[in-house]
């Protein structure tokens, strides 16, 4: 079992997808939101207040996301959603800052682009810079990259 710190994340999904993402990056970073991240491609898990305990688990060097997903769910973790990632970025930017990228790899956080490549939302913090982008899963992942997991 991981010894990573768990963070209680509480957010109101009724705010809407766009507002949650904009809140996560802050008003100075609205331009750092990938425009392919839409509510149609990455639906929220419902309406109302969502409470989850989240933590970031490291990828193993060179580990494909499918293998990471199996490893993490096999260890009893729940893969966090796009909404969870946005709320986590908002509430815990210092934790996100420790990683090259923090990714949401749950099934409902995967989108196949027009070239047929699977992409997932990812968050990054560098100083006051906050970014909510897409990561193309064709590219290798390393231990400096994290996967957001939760327990509901």
């Amino acid at each position: 079992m991981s010894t990573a710190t768990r963070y209680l994340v509480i957010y109101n999904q009724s705010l809407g997808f766009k507002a949650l993402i904009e809140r996560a990056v802050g008003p100075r970073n609205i331009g750092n939101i990938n425009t392919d991240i839409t509510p149609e491609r990455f639906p929220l898990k419902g309406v109302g207040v969502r409470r989850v305990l989240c933590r970031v688990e490291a990828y193993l060097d060179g580990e494909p996301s499918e293998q990471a997903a199996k490893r993490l769910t096999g260890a009893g973790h729940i893969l966090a959603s796009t909404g969870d990632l946005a709320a986590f970025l908002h509430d815990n930017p210092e934790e996100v800052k420790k990683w090259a990228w923090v990714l949401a790899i749950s099934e409902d956080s995967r989108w196949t682009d027009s070239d047929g490549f699977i992409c997932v939302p990812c968050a990054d913090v560098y100083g006051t810079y906050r970014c909510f982008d897409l990561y193309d899963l064709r590219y290798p992942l390393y231990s400096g990259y994290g996967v957001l997991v939760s327990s509901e």
Side-chain angles (χ1 to χ4, degrees):
M1 191 61 134
S2 172
T3 59
T5 302
R6 293 196 283 173
Y7 300 88
L8 178 60
V9 176
I10 303 170
Y11 63 101
N12 188 345
Q13 297 177 101
S14 299
L15 290 172
F17 184 85
K18 183 178 178 186
L20 284 173
I21 305 291
E22 289 177 352
R23 180 176 166 263
V25 299
R28 294 176 54 197
N29 290 292
I30 298 298
N32 299 332
I33 301 170
N34 188 307
T35 57
D36 284 324
I37 300 174
T38 66
E40 296 78 26
R41 294 178 179 145
F42 303 98
L44 295 175
K45 288 193 172 272
V47 295
V49 176
R50 181 165 161 78
R51 300 171 57 93
V52 290
L53 276 174
C54 293
R55 72 170 163 241
V56 181
E57 291 287 338
Y59 273 95
L60 302 177
D61 282 337
E63 180 179 39
S65 282
E66 291 303 322
Q67 186 175 334
K70 288 178 185 173
R71 174 177 57 85
L72 293 167
T73 56
H77 299 295
I78 299 168
L79 302 174
S81 69
T82 303
D84 297 342
L85 179 61
F88 189 81
L89 172 60
H90 176 267
D91 293 352
N92 303 287
E94 291 303 314
E95 182 63 19
V96 174
K97 188 178 188 176
K98 295 176 186 176
W99 301 88
W101 289 100
V102 175
L103 289 74
I105 64 170
S106 63
E107 284 298 321
D108 59 357
S109 293
R110 295 167 187 233
W111 169 62
T112 304
D113 70 11
S114 60
D115 295 320
F117 302 118
I118 298 171
C119 300
V120 296
C122 57
D124 181 36
V125 173
Y126 183 79
T128 60
Y129 172 87
R130 291 186 186 186
C131 180
F132 209 80
D133 207 350
L134 288 172
Y135 192 89
D136 182 337
L137 293 181
R138 287 179 297 163
Y139 299 108
L141 295 151
Y142 300 97
S143 58
Y145 292 76
V147 178
L148 190 66
V149 297
S150 70
S151 55
E152 298 180 9

